[in-house]
Amino acid sequence: ANKLAQLAKEELEDKIAFRTKELEHTSYMSDLALKLSFSGYWQIPVDGTGIFHPSVQLLSIMGLEQSVEKNNFNISKDWISNIKPLGAENAEEVMNKFQATILGFDELNLIYPYLRPTDNKQLWLHSVGYVEKDKDNNPINIYGVTQDITEQKEKEFEIEKNQTLLKSLVDSIPDPLFVVDEQGVISDLNRSATKVFKYEKDELINTNIETLLLDDMKFSHRSLIKYFMDSDVVAHKTHSKQEIYAKRKDGLSIPVEISITKFNTQTSTQVLCVARDITIRKEAESAYREANDNFEDIFENGSESVLILSEDKIIDANESAVKLFDANDITGLIGTSPALLSPEIQPNGESS
């Protein structure tokens, strides 16, 4: 009997030893996971004392190592007090969230700033937790994990800053810009696009860019986009002499010059479309043609003699000038200096 008891005892001791090693290994892996994820765990008894029990990892994260000899930490003095310097509203939000969790109104899942007392460095913490209840469904403890996500938040802020800068730069470009997908659906546009086409931004988001085209332009534009998306061409610009007309919200048509460039995102191919309003340029071209036509009319049909000079030499003349200077034809004047067609002395006494 003693031998059997001894064997049973040894077997129990072996099981205890094995289980102890297993628990030590689990504890080690748990601590390693917390360390690698910059996290620590905590417990808050729901007894009205405001006491919380942090893990060693959490003490390090929150800068409470110097108080490690304390048996208990106060949630107001050692936790919330380090949030208040970064905004009383932040501290109030955290406390309200804890209260709501205790009362069962909400789960604890909160991101907030925290001022670490050991070095006065602002951190960003992410706390999640759940409530343990007794058999009568009364809360007795809150258990949770807090993670230091400062590096992640700083990267987010940097990305947000760059995005804000990029948006400011894009909005400062005077030409309308549109980002569209392979079907031509608009996902973004700049401020100039709203000014030129007289739409609010929300009115154009998720609509097809063909909304901005005249009906007789839609088919050719659709064909161009399909060819462009199916080809290896990265960028395309409409020919400078090709007139493409777009339509504003008020129905007025305007001439535009379209440049398109495609780029790839993680999920799809997008197209950046620049629609330059060339109304002023077209008006200038029209005015130039009109002025040129008027000049040609005067030059060809006018009764006044007209000479065109370059570097003090005649390079062209109208018929009236040919007759005035008694030349056989225009070749008799081309290349001649006007001084040779004038008297040696002008009426005012100066030399020609």
Side-chain angles (χ1 to χ4, degrees):
N2 290 336
K3 188 175 182 179
L4 289 174
Q6 181 64 29
L7 289 173
K9 179 182 178 183
E10 290 175 357
E11 183 180 357
L12 180 61
E13 289 175 348
D14 288 342
K15 288 182 179 180
I16 292 173
F18 176 78
R19 184 58 178 161
T20 300
K21 287 184 178 180
E22 193 177 54
L23 289 173
E24 289 175 351
H25 177 71
T26 301
S27 177
Y28 170 77
M29 295 302 293
S30 175
D31 289 344
L32 182 60
L34 290 171
K35 182 178 179 180
L36 292 175
S37 62
F38 305 101
S39 303
Y41 58 85
W42 43 265
Q43 173 204 0
I44 301 175
V46 184
D47 55 9
T49 62
I51 298 299
F52 78 97
H53 307 292
S55 67
V56 174
Q57 296 89 345
L58 187 59
L59 286 175
S60 177
I61 291 171
M62 300 181 71
L64 302 176
E65 305 100 312
Q66 296 175 351
S67 307
V68 74
E69 295 180 356
K70 292 172 61 175
N71 292 324
N72 298 310
F73 294 85
N74 185 274
I75 190 169
S76 294
K77 293 180 180 179
D78 298 307
W79 196 333
I80 303 301
S81 63
N82 294 321
I83 302 175
K84 283 183 178 179
L86 303 174
E89 68 281 0
N90 295 317
E92 184 178 357
E93 182 182 7
V94 173
M95 283 300 294
N96 290 341
K97 197 72 173 180
F98 273 117
Q99 291 296 328
T101 302
I102 292 172
L103 296 174
F105 295 145
D106 203 358
E107 293 184 357
L108 182 65
N109 190 338
L110 191 63
I111 294 175
Y112 53 93
Y114 177 89
L115 189 65
R116 187 163 58 196
T118 50
D119 56 7
N120 284 326
K121 179 181 179 180
Q122 179 181 330
L123 306 179
W124 281 92
L125 303 181
H126 182 195
S127 296
V128 294
Y130 74 96
V131 176
E132 177 191 22
K133 297 182 179 181
D134 61 19
K135 61 179 181 174
D136 297 321
N137 206 34
N138 296 313
I140 54 176
N141 286 294
I142 304 178
Y143 293 98
V145 174
T146 293
Q147 182 182 22
D148 179 0
I149 59 169
T150 304
E151 184 177 350
Q152 173 188 331
K153 290 294 288 186
E154 288 176 347
K155 289 180 179 178
E156 289 176 1
F157 290 144
E158 185 65 24
I159 292 173
E160 184 178 347
K161 177 182 175 182
N162 291 336
Q163 288 177 335
T164 301
L165 175 60
L166 178 60
K167 186 178 185 305
S168 298
L169 291 174
V170 169
D171 277 339
S172 68
I173 295 174
D175 293 330
L177 303 181
F178 300 90
V179 177
V180 302
D181 65 13
E182 297 177 70
Q183 285 71 47
V185 176
I186 300 170
S187 60
D188 202 3
L189 60 150
N190 69 346
R191 187 178 297 128
S192 295
T194 63
K195 292 174 64 177
V196 169
F197 291 96
K198 310 301 180 184
Y199 281 91
E200 296 296 328
K201 185 173 184 177
D202 292 343
E203 292 180 291
L204 289 176
I205 294 295
N206 294 325
T207 63
N208 199 289
I209 198 166
E210 290 185 1
T211 303
L212 305 176
L213 298 178
L214 298 179
D215 290 340
D216 57 354
M217 292 285 180
K218 291 181 180 180
F219 178 77
S220 59
H221 176 265
R222 201 175 302 143
S223 300
L224 171 63
I225 290 293
K226 185 178 187 308
Y227 163 77
F228 181 62
M229 297 302 294
D230 293 342
S231 71
D232 294 329
V233 178
V234 176
H236 175 82
K237 184 177 181 180
T238 58
H239 193 278
S240 59
K241 292 184 179 180
Q242 181 181 359
E243 293 184 8
I244 295 179
Y245 281 85
K247 181 174 60 176
R248 301 192 325 192
K249 183 180 179 180
D250 57 11
L252 182 68
S253 61
I254 56 174
V256 294
E257 182 179 87
I258 304 293
S259 300
I260 52 179
T261 303
K262 61 184 176 184
F263 61 95
N264 294 320
T265 66
Q266 292 181 339
T267 58
S268 64
T269 299
Q270 300 283 309
V271 175
L272 176 65
C273 177
V274 182
R276 173 169 293 175
D277 180 2
I278 56 174
T279 301
I280 295 177
R281 190 174 83 190
K282 298 293 290 182
E283 291 174 349
E285 290 173 354
S286 178
Y288 172 78
R289 285 194 299 269
E290 183 179 351
N292 191 58
D293 290 344
N294 291 337
F295 173 76
E296 288 184 357
D297 182 57
I298 294 172
F299 186 79
E300 296 293 340
N301 305 313
S303 59
E304 299 292 332
S305 299
V306 180
L307 298 176
I308 300 177
L309 307 180
S310 176
E311 297 181 354
D312 199 32
K313 299 291 184 182
I314 298 172
I315 62 173
D316 202 0
N318 67 353
E319 188 63 27
S320 295
V322 173
K323 292 178 180 179
L324 175 66
F325 293 107
D326 198 24
N328 291 329
D329 54 35
I330 193 173
T331 57
L333 296 178
I334 298 300
T336 303
S337 171
L340 299 178
L341 302 176
S342 304
E344 185 176 349
I345 302 298
Q346 291 290 320
N348 63 1
E350 294 183 358
S351 172
S352 295

